[in-house]
Amino acid sequence: MKFIILLFLFSANLFATKQNDTPIIIKLAVTNSILSSYNKILEGKSWSELKTYTHPSMNRGVVEILLLHKAFEVSGLNIKFDFVIVPNHTRSIKYSKQINILMPTETVWLSSVEEEDFYISTPIISDGEYEKGVYVLKEKLSLYKIENLSDLKKLTAISSLDWTVDWRTLQLMDVNKQSTSHFESMMYMLKHGRADFLLLEFTSNDDLSREEYGVAIAPVSNIKIGLKGSRHFIVNKKHKESEFIYNALERGLKVLRDKGEIAKALRESGFQNKKTTNWIKIN
């Protein structure tokens, strides 16, 4: 009994220490494209000043950074993010196995991580919720008449072998495809006619369009692609604070989920988009 009391007092003291005015600085791996969008949306303001997830530059990656901020805040921890820029999403997972990097800012597919390396959060995006549009150059949108998978097979997709679920989805659809590791390169290949389309999340813009690296793209109307699997935040088990911070993250995510904040974020950002509810899933 004495041991249990001492353990409780030690844990309580540790929790109190973590909540003081001195922030816990954690390193998070982030791609340059997501960080650029994040900074563009903030425009020098604090994340806490944002009242909505609706913005022309909003995307899932930025939404997930904001959810991390909010989850840690409601958990009671004073956390400050130190972003470490990585070339792509796959590297963000690889770098997050290093001792000094706590986690990627993005959620990851459950199928792409091992529990021996990471603590895995409850789902942010559940199985069956992930849908993408067939995005083409906006200036050429009227040229694409795609109503079914047979029509899509006449075109060439640009994606990445590192985007394992996207790549597998394209394989199962038997679609012509090319791979590049960098998102900027995907935009370049679309712009210069080396590929016709790529699969991307929908946006909150009226026409669902988006601009990436100066290239305007928009989805072909009335069709969408479903991706199988769930996505989760992961925390590096090698990090000295990993278990404590993971538990705080889970507490915070539960609060956000219970009050509908996660659903609101996915809805307002356009990820779960009422405009595409009746679009045909062609795969």
Side-chain angles (χ1 to χ4, degrees):
M1 177 63 73
K2 183 177 180 181
F3 172 77
I4 294 174
I5 293 172
L6 288 173
L7 181 62
F8 173 79
L9 291 174
F10 173 78
S11 300
N13 182 63
L14 177 62
F15 185 70
T17 300
K18 300 295 185 183
Q19 295 188 93
N20 64 22
D21 292 335
T22 303
I24 303 170
I25 300 174
I26 59 175
K27 291 183 180 293
L28 292 88
V30 62
T31 63
N32 187 57
S33 61
I34 290 176
L35 188 59
S36 295
S37 296
Y38 175 73
N39 289 330
K40 185 176 182 179
I41 291 168
L42 289 186
E43 295 181 325
K45 301 189 293 289
S46 166
W47 67 268
S48 60
E49 296 179 63
L50 295 180
K51 305 304 180 186
T52 177
Y53 297 93
T54 301
H55 188 281
S57 296
M58 187 66 72
N59 55 52
R60 176 184 51 77
V62 176
V63 165
E64 290 170 349
I65 294 178
L66 296 175
L67 289 176
L68 282 175
H69 276 302
K70 293 185 177 187
F72 284 125
E73 181 181 58
V74 299
S75 77
L77 290 191
N78 184 4
I79 295 283
K80 182 178 180 181
F81 294 169
D82 179 12
F83 294 117
V84 178
I85 297 177
V86 296
N88 53 54
H89 178 63
T90 300
R91 289 289 185 90
S92 74
I93 299 174
K94 182 178 180 180
Y95 283 26
S96 294
K97 291 182 181 180
Q98 298 177 8
I99 293 174
N100 65 329
I101 296 182
L102 183 73
M103 62 189 296
T105 59
E106 280 188 271
T107 57
V108 304
W109 293 106
L110 183 61
S111 59
S112 67
V113 292
E114 299 292 339
E115 288 192 45
E116 65 185 49
D117 296 318
F118 297 101
Y119 293 109
I120 302 172
S121 79
T122 46
I124 302 303
I125 301 170
S126 298
D127 189 17
E129 291 184 337
Y130 209 117
E131 296 177 341
K132 287 192 172 185
V134 176
Y135 275 77
V136 301
L137 287 178
K138 189 174 181 180
E139 64 188 36
K140 295 184 178 180
L141 181 60
S142 62
L143 301 179
Y144 291 97
K145 308 298 181 184
I146 306 172
E147 297 180 354
N148 50 50
L149 184 54
S150 295
D151 292 338
L152 193 66
K153 286 183 178 182
K154 299 173 185 176
L155 306 176
T156 298
I158 181 63
S159 187
S160 173
L161 283 164
D162 295 331
W163 295 4
T164 54
V165 174
D166 291 61
W167 194 259
R168 179 60 176 160
T169 300
L170 291 169
Q171 284 181 320
L172 290 173
M173 292 192 296
D174 195 26
V175 171
N176 298 319
K177 55 195 175 299
Q178 298 186 61
S179 175
T180 180
S181 297
H182 302 285
F183 191 53
E184 185 175 4
S185 299
M186 296 182 191
M187 294 300 105
Y188 177 89
M189 292 179 73
L190 277 183
K191 181 178 180 179
H192 293 278
R194 294 171 60 185
D196 300 299
F197 73 92
L198 76 162
L199 304 181
L200 283 179
E201 297 96 347
F202 296 109
T203 72
S204 61
N205 294 329
D206 289 339
D207 60 357
L208 306 177
S209 67
R210 54 198 295 171
E211 184 172 316
E212 305 287 353
Y213 295 100
V215 181
I217 55 178
V220 176
S221 295
N222 299 318
I223 61 168
K224 57 187 176 182
I225 305 296
L227 277 64
K228 296 291 186 181
S230 57
R231 291 184 69 96
H232 309 248
F233 287 119
I234 56 173
V235 177
N236 176 13
K237 286 185 175 180
K238 293 179 183 177
H239 193 282
K240 63 180 180 179
E241 302 278 11
S242 61
E243 186 174 5
F244 178 83
I245 292 178
Y246 166 74
N247 288 332
L249 174 62
E250 280 290 84
R251 286 197 310 273
L253 290 176
K254 184 179 187 307
V255 172
L256 297 185
R257 189 175 292 106
D258 288 348
K259 72 176 187 177
E261 186 70 22
I262 295 176
K264 174 187 175 184
L266 296 177
R267 184 177 64 253
E268 287 187 356
S269 65
F271 179 86
Q272 292 178 343
N273 204 303
K274 63 181 181 181
K275 294 179 181 178
T276 66
T277 300
N278 296 321
W279 286 18
I280 299 170
K281 193 178 295 185
I282 63 173
N283 65 321

